[in-house]
Amino acid sequence: MTFSHQQSAHCESGVMSSLLTNAGFAISEPMVFGLSSALAFAYLPIIKLNGMPLIAYRMPPKHIINTLNKRLGLAIQTQRFSNAAAGQQALDQALAQQQAVGLQTSVFWLPYFPAEMRFHFNAHNLLVYGKAQDNYLISDPVFEDVVQCDAAALTKARFAKGALAPKGLMYTLGNTPAEPNWPRLIRQSIKATSRILDGLPLPWIGVRGILHLANKIARLDPAAVKYNRLYLTHIVRMQEEIGTGGAGFRFMYASFLQEAATKLHEPVLHQAANEMTQIGDGWRGFASQLVQYCKAKQADTDFAPLAASLRVLAQQERELMQQLASWSSSRY
């Protein structure tokens, strides 16, 4: 089959953009991200990552796929398998029918990833578009060019154990969508995003979650120097190194708003895109502050400036989401 690879910022949004574009419905990665209302924030102390609370800047894995499926009427066909042999057989059958196949995999078992980039993360999405002898032809969104992976390694990646175990998950496109009602769809998506970030009465989600993290930082014990460095480093890692990161997702959403503004001829969205870009810059500046604290030879015991920066970001996101909620509600 003829397949055009595109490198993306994030695996799930990149796979959906590529899957739809190759099916004849050209759509950018930011538009996929925005239409699926994937922008978020969550501070989840009950979920640990290396002993530290999970901090997320987007909705959970599969949210983009499932939400876009519903909003665009894609009739995505998904399958999971009880054994690896059945999973490989189903993949081969789909490829024989000239279908591009999305897979959920573990990064750790994909041999084309450099060793230093492999870690146990079981929700990495990629597209398989063909097979050459025992090697699968793969469009992995995080790579500049297409890659290949032998059948044994790909099977191992598809059936990795642990948190978010993929269980051989594969998905194919059922329908190529007709031209949607863009004004309705964009407003619906923006309204949902504003509710996720500033409309849920949960202390760990959205703007409330950002403020909760600010309070946690402000209350750090100055005597616990080692823990403080680990905690602040963990925040940086979750923000800037895991997936696209907090600032990266803000920049992507800003691109969505810009594209939506052009499509709908809406100056309000142009302005919102600029404000979201500035918020992304703020998150990146906050990460730099954390790094400076962690690098300092003399441990700084005043965490108030860090908390203050985070509270400013929370307020900026709240004000922007309220503006977007008002716009989407009045025009919906």
Side-chain angles (χ1 to χ4, degrees), residues 9-21:
H10 178 257
C11 70
E12 193 172 343
S13 51
V15 159
M16 291 307 297
S17 172
S18 184
L19 189 62
L20 285 165
T21 298

Side-chain angles (χ1 to χ4, degrees), residues 2-329:
T2 303
F3 188 88
S4 178
H5 171 73
Q6 59 184 46
Q7 188 176 24
S8 306
H10 178 257
C11 70
E12 193 172 343
S13 51
V15 159
M16 291 307 297
S17 172
S18 184
L19 189 62
L20 285 165
T21 298
N22 276 280
F25 184 80
I27 184 169
S28 70
E29 182 186 13
M31 185 58 70
V32 163
F33 187 77
L35 291 183
S36 58
S37 302
L39 188 70
F41 181 89
Y43 181 91
L44 302 173
I46 60 174
I47 302 176
K48 300 294 185 183
L49 191 65
N50 297 322
M52 295 288 179
L54 177 66
I55 305 172
Y57 296 83
R58 51 150 287 186
M59 294 297 282
K62 296 195 289 295
H63 173 88
I64 291 174
I65 297 170
N66 293 336
T67 305
L68 205 64
N69 181 34
K70 180 179 179 180
R71 289 182 179 165
L72 289 179
L74 303 179
I76 289 176
Q77 306 296 314
T78 62
Q79 291 178 270
R80 293 183 187 270
F81 307 92
S82 58
N83 65 80
Q88 183 173 341
Q89 182 181 19
L91 174 59
D92 290 345
Q93 288 175 347
L95 293 174
Q97 296 168 4
Q98 300 293 295
Q99 291 180 297
V101 184
L103 298 180
Q104 182 180 331
T105 63
S106 168
V107 170
F108 188 80
W109 300 110
L110 295 172
Y112 57 82
F113 269 82
E116 61 273 14
M117 290 179 62
R118 294 185 206 170
F119 62 106
H120 290 286
F121 174 65
N122 287 336
H124 179 65
N125 288 268
L126 54 84
L127 277 174
V128 180
Y129 65 93
K131 192 175 184 181
Q133 298 180 337
D134 194 46
N135 288 329
Y136 289 99
L137 309 180
I138 293 176
S139 173
D140 192 313
V142 303
F143 284 84
E144 184 176 357
D145 297 309
V146 295
V147 294
Q148 295 189 18
C149 183
D150 66 90
L154 185 59
T155 296
K156 200 165 188 177
R158 293 180 64 196
F159 289 88
K161 305 296 184 182
L164 302 174
K167 299 179 182 177
L169 175 67
M170 60 175 273
Y171 48 95
T172 54
L173 195 61
N175 296 327
T176 300
E179 191 72 8
N181 182 334
W182 287 111
R184 181 182 183 279
L185 184 59
I186 288 171
R187 289 165 185 152
Q188 177 190 19
S189 303
I190 288 176
K191 187 174 184 178
T193 300
S194 65
R195 184 172 184 272
I196 290 168
L197 275 168
D198 191 42
L200 299 179
L202 301 170
W204 300 314
I205 305 298
V207 170
R208 290 177 176 84
I210 299 172
L211 293 172
H212 181 77
L213 176 57
N215 292 336
K216 295 287 288 187
I217 292 174
R219 291 196 295 264
L220 287 173
D221 180 3
V225 176
K226 182 178 180 180
Y227 174 83
N228 294 341
R229 290 184 187 275
L230 288 173
Y231 186 71
L232 298 180
T233 301
H234 171 72
I235 296 172
V236 175
R237 186 176 296 114
M238 292 301 299
Q239 182 182 318
E240 298 299 327
E241 297 180 17
I242 304 298
T244 307
F249 284 130
R250 269 63 189 166
F251 292 141
M252 193 186 300
Y253 197 75
S255 295
F256 158 70
L257 291 172
Q258 188 64 49
E259 192 173 339
T262 301
K263 191 177 286 290
L264 302 186
H265 307 289
E266 281 285 357
V268 171
L269 297 185
H270 279 294
Q271 180 60 34
N274 293 334
E275 291 178 21
M276 183 56 78
T277 298
Q278 292 172 8
I279 289 171
D281 289 337
W283 277 105
R284 195 135 285 170
F286 172 66
S288 296
Q289 275 186 279
L290 295 178
V291 170
Q292 293 306 312
Y293 266 70
C294 295
K295 282 185 174 180
K297 293 182 179 179
Q298 183 73 28
D300 197 329
T301 58
D302 183 11
F303 299 103
L306 294 176
S309 294
L310 207 47
R311 291 186 181 113
V312 168
L313 288 169
Q315 183 62 26
Q316 289 174 340
E317 292 208 2
R318 169 163 284 162
E319 290 175 359
L320 179 55
M321 288 302 117
Q322 289 176 349
Q323 292 171 23
L324 289 173
S326 176
W327 174 84
S328 61
S329 296

